[in-house]
């Protein structure tokens, strides 16, 4: 029997780089479809047409006009910028024509109508999946991502025939929970109000739509797939995930190797590769200079880019800050998030202006400059589904210092004596959740940094790893095949 060479895949997400991105999901939705296209798959991406997305999407054609929930909706077609990936945008101006963060009001609170917004999006995806809009295209599999797309498997499960569904958990902490009243207001089918459906202890849970109804569920690293089946990481859903363990797997994210390539990166003061690694130093001094730090080539410069939230272990860093600053190190941080963390970090930067720089905000260019200019990249996450920054940093010859959880545990090879002798080390990993645990890992890094030959060997080992989507996209094809096998044939 010959294998089907090509699936029709509808990839549904609430963000995709470079149209819109708030975190790792955006990176994945912007790069996995392209990798699937490279494997000769017929993949199409579908997103809400937020204001910023429309502005960045280039030329768009209206391919369908319809009404959902008394709202006029248009389906716009274009391409993911810089790629041949076809994109469909669900344009419902009343719900999506808002600038900035897709999920939050300018004041930082979730949009009050998020449940309606992502229900309407799901219903539009279901229409496309059933070819009800006359697009003359029907997917074999609908690949859904995170809670914003959770209703899609739930709505499709009731249809015969239907495409297979895959649901990827990028972060179980975000579940899309709303009061029962919202369920009633949305007028969803009463059958869905059940603990074996969307109800979670009296609340409406969007993510349960994916976890209960998708034919296959996966998360973005093998370790996180195991961890979420335990109470510590399961956010109340570990029981359901254990119940579905036969359909649950972990596939590591790849990275966009074009976007994140120190050899061609236009954000850098100086590009470099494995053969011209010495040029990395130009980026370090540029970063130190731009951030107002002492331009000292020998001080270990620690970089951090990410959301300043509990998940990312910002409190662990703050707890260990004093001890850490007793080492010959500097800190360059970029991020935004919880006000208390922003304030505490800014205060530290004020106290140590030549050693600690903190930029609050979102900056693609500074993120690249920190990856290239820092000596080590810090990720003390409390949990980490996959993590992308440690992959970028290894590629940029910037060994990561990580807490050994989830995707961080799966991708970073610690500088133990054995790994150092075998020349397999790519970074530093620590357990525990105290500031002193992080301090000890950074102290190890700082000591090893003095041994230039060993340090270079660690950098080159990381830079030599293949973090591209190639392997993981193949694994998704196997997952799609498994999902397609699950559909009842009517
Ligand atoms: P998460 O999705 O949990 O936020 P990931 O490590 O999977 O974490 O992905 C985060 C992505 O978002 C990375 O590409 C990272 O560089 C980027 N990012 C996060 N915060 C910022 C910021 N303030 N400025 C620029 N890029 C950021």
């Amino acid at each position: 029997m010959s294998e089907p060479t090509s699936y029709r895949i509808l990839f549904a997400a609430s963000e995709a780089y470079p149209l819109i991105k708030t975190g790792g999901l955006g990176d994945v939705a912007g790069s996995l479809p392209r990798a699937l296209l490279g494997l000769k798959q017929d993949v199409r991406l579908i997103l809400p047409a937020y204001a910023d997305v429309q502005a960045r999407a280039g030329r768009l054609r209206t391919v369908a006009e319809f009404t959902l929930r008394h709202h006029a909706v248009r389906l716009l077609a274009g391409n993911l910028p810089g790629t041949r990936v076809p994109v469909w945008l669900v344009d419902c101006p009343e719900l999506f024509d808002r600038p900035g963060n897709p999920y939050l009001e300018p004041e930082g609170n979730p949009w009050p109508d998020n449940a309606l917004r992502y229900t309407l999006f799901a219903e539009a995806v279901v229409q496309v999946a059933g070819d009800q809009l006359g697009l003359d295209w029907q997917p074999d599999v609908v690949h859904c991502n995170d809670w914003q797309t959770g209703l899609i498997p739930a709505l499709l499960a009731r249809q015969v025939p239907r495409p297979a569904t895959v649901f990827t958990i990028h972060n179980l902490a975000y579940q899309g929970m709303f009061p029962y009243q919202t369920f009633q207001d949305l007028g969803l089918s009463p059958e869905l109000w059940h603990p074996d459906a969307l109800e979670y202890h009296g609340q409406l849970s969007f993510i349960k739509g994916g976890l209960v109804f998708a034919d296959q569920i996966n998360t973005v690293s093998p370790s996180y797939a195991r961890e979420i089946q335990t109470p510590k990481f399961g956010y109340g859903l570990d029981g359901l995930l254990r119940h579905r363990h036969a359909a649950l797997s972990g596939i590591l994210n790849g990275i966009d190797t074009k976007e994140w390539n120190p050899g061609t990166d236009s954000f850098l003061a100086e590009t470099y590769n494995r053969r011209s690694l010495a040029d990395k130093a130009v980026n370090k001094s540029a970063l130190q200079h731009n951030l107002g730090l002492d331009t000292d080539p020998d001080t270990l410069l620690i970089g951090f880019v990410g959301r300043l939230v509990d998940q990312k272990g910002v409190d662990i860093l703050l707890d260990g800050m004093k001890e850490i600053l007793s080492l010959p190190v500097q800190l360059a941080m970029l991020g935004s998030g919880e006000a208390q963390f922003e304030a505490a970090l800014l205060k530290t930067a004020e106290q140590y202006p030549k050693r600690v720089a903190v930029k609050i905000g979102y900056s693609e260019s500074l993120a690249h400059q920190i990856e290239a200019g820092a000596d080590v990249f810090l990720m003390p996450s409390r949990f980490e589904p996959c993590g992308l920054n440690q992959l970028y940093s290894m590629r940029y010859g910037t060994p990561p210092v990580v807490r050994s959880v989830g995707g961080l545990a799966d991708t970073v090879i610690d500088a133990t004596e054995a790994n150092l002798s075998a020349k397999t080390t790519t970074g530093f990993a620590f357990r525990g959740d105290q500031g002193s645990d992080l301090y000890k890992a950074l102290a190890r890094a700082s000591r090893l940094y003095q041994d230039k030959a060993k340090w270079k060997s660690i950098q080159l080992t990381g830079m030599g790893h293949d973090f591209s989507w190639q392997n993981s996209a193949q694994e998704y094809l196997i997952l799609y095949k498994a999902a397609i096998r699950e559909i009842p044939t009517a």
Side-chain angles (χ1 to χ4, degrees):
M1 281 258 295
S2 67
E3 298 287 313
T5 49
S6 175
Y7 295 121
R8 280 162 306 199
I9 304 154
L10 183 59
F11 195 100
S14 54
E15 54 180 273
Y17 183 81
L19 291 172
I20 187 141
K21 163 177 151 181
T22 70
L25 166 63
D27 281 318
V28 174
S31 50
L32 174 56
R34 192 193 320 181
L36 290 167
L37 199 72
L39 295 177
K40 306 215 171 344
Q41 304 300 304
D42 181 359
V43 57
R44 322 238 170 146
L45 183 60
I46 187 162
L47 297 175
Y50 312 110
D52 293 359
V53 166
Q54 290 216 45
R56 289 177 196 139
R59 251 200 26 211
L60 292 167
R61 289 172 292 125
T62 302
V63 291
E65 288 183 87
F66 52 110
T67 304
L68 275 176
R69 298 180 168 266
H70 309 295
H71 290 284
V73 184
R74 290 187 308 159
L75 194 70
L76 311 175
N79 276 339
L80 188 66
T83 77
R84 289 182 299 111
V85 176
V87 181
W88 279 317
L89 301 178
V90 176
D91 180 29
C92 177
E94 286 144 299
L95 300 186
F96 298 125
D97 188 12
R98 303 170 191 178
N101 187 298
Y103 318 119
L104 307 176
E105 296 181 319
E107 299 75 41
N109 300 313
W111 291 108
D113 56 353
N114 271 348
L116 171 64
R117 297 169 78 219
Y118 292 108
T119 299
L120 183 132
F121 177 59
E123 289 169 340
V125 173
V126 167
Q127 297 244 339
V128 172
D131 197 18
Q132 283 147 323
L133 302 177
L135 301 168
D136 200 23
W137 186 87
Q138 228 172 338
D140 300 307
V141 54
V142 182
H143 186 162
C144 306
N145 296 275
D146 276 355
W147 75 262
Q148 294 85 353
T149 58
L151 289 193
I152 299 168
L155 298 174
L156 283 173
R158 298 145 52 87
Q159 298 194 352
V160 186
R162 65 168 177 86
T165 50
V166 166
F167 184 80
T168 301
I169 304 165
H170 296 264
N171 193 335
L172 191 64
Y174 301 98
Q175 302 185 351
M177 298 273 274
F178 300 92
Y180 174 57
Q181 187 61 45
T182 305
F183 179 82
Q184 286 192 309
D185 295 345
L186 289 170
L188 293 169
S189 162
E191 281 168 43
L192 291 172
W193 191 257
H194 192 278
D196 289 337
L198 303 181
E199 181 193 349
Y200 180 82
H201 298 292
Q203 289 206 291
L204 163 62
S205 163
F206 271 57
I207 200 170
K208 278 192 72 183
L211 303 186
V212 172
F213 292 102
D215 297 309
Q216 289 286 326
I217 310 165
N218 82 304
T219 179
V220 289
S221 69
S223 284
Y224 193 60
R226 281 190 298 275
E227 288 166 355
I228 57 175
Q229 296 179 56
T230 67
K232 188 171 170 203
F233 294 95
Y235 280 90
L237 292 168
D238 46 294
L240 169 58
L241 290 163
R242 283 195 299 277
H243 176 69
R244 293 225 58 199
H245 78 275
L248 171 60
S249 58
I251 301 178
L252 272 176
N253 285 335
I255 62 172
D256 185 329
T257 48
K258 270 202 194 125
E259 202 64 45
W260 293 93
N261 179 357
T264 55
D265 192 328
S266 56
F267 292 122
L268 304 193
E270 181 86 53
T271 57
Y272 59 94
N273 57 32
R274 298 181 81 216
R275 284 176 304 282
S276 58
L277 189 52
D279 291 343
K280 185 178 187 323
V282 179
N283 293 290
K284 178 173 177 175
S285 58
L287 183 65
Q288 286 172 320
H289 176 78
N290 292 343
L291 295 177
L293 299 170
D294 279 332
T295 46
D296 175 358
D298 296 321
T299 306
L300 184 84
L301 177 53
I302 305 167
F304 176 100
V305 179
R307 293 178 294 119
L308 300 174
V309 296
D310 204 51
Q311 175 195 340
K312 300 294 177 185
V314 185
D315 58 324
I316 301 177
L317 171 63
L318 287 166
D319 181 45
M321 190 67 89
K322 252 214 171 102
E323 235 178 334
I324 291 165
L325 291 175
S326 72
L327 297 166
V329 299
Q330 295 176 339
L331 200 54
M333 298 186 68
L334 165 66
S336 64
E338 286 174 35
Q340 48 151 344
F341 292 141
E342 292 183 358
L345 291 169
L346 286 172
K347 194 169 150 208
T348 312
E350 241 169 60
Q351 284 168 338
Y352 302 89
K354 296 285 172 200
R355 297 187 61 202
V356 178
V358 174
K359 292 281 172 205
I360 301 298
Y362 191 95
S363 162
E364 203 64 39
S365 56
L366 185 55
H368 284 246
Q369 287 153 6
I370 291 178
E371 290 286 5
D375 295 305
V376 290
F377 194 92
L378 188 59
M379 291 181 81
S381 305
R382 289 190 174 274
F383 70 94
E384 194 59 77
C386 176
L388 292 168
N389 277 314
Q390 84 278 17
L391 306 179
Y392 303 151
S393 79
M394 285 187 266
R395 191 136 201 264
Y396 278 62
T398 308
V401 177
V402 303
R403 188 153 176 275
S404 196
V405 285
L408 299 173
D410 290 343
T411 55
V412 177
I413 302 167
D414 185 32
T416 59
E417 281 308 324
N419 290 338
L420 284 169
S421 338
K423 294 203 179 338
T424 53
T425 300
T426 57
F428 301 83
F430 69 96
R431 294 173 197 283
D433 57 7
Q434 304 298 309
S436 54
D437 300 313
L438 170 57
Y439 161 77
K440 282 180 208 146
L442 285 168
R444 278 199 291 141
S446 154
R447 261 196 314 277
L448 215 68
Y449 183 64
Q450 309 305 320
D451 185 334
K452 295 300 171 207
K454 268 197 187 142
W455 193 261
K456 188 169 177 191
S457 153
I458 296 174
Q459 289 178 296
L460 290 177
T461 305
M463 293 175 90
H465 272 253
D466 177 6
F467 297 114
S468 72
W469 269 105
Q470 191 64 23
N471 296 332
S472 298
Q474 294 277 6
E475 287 187 56
Y476 273 101
L477 290 188
I478 295 169
L479 191 68
Y480 296 154
K481 191 174 173 191
I484 289 165
R485 255 201 319 258
E486 304 289 324
I487 328 171
T489 40

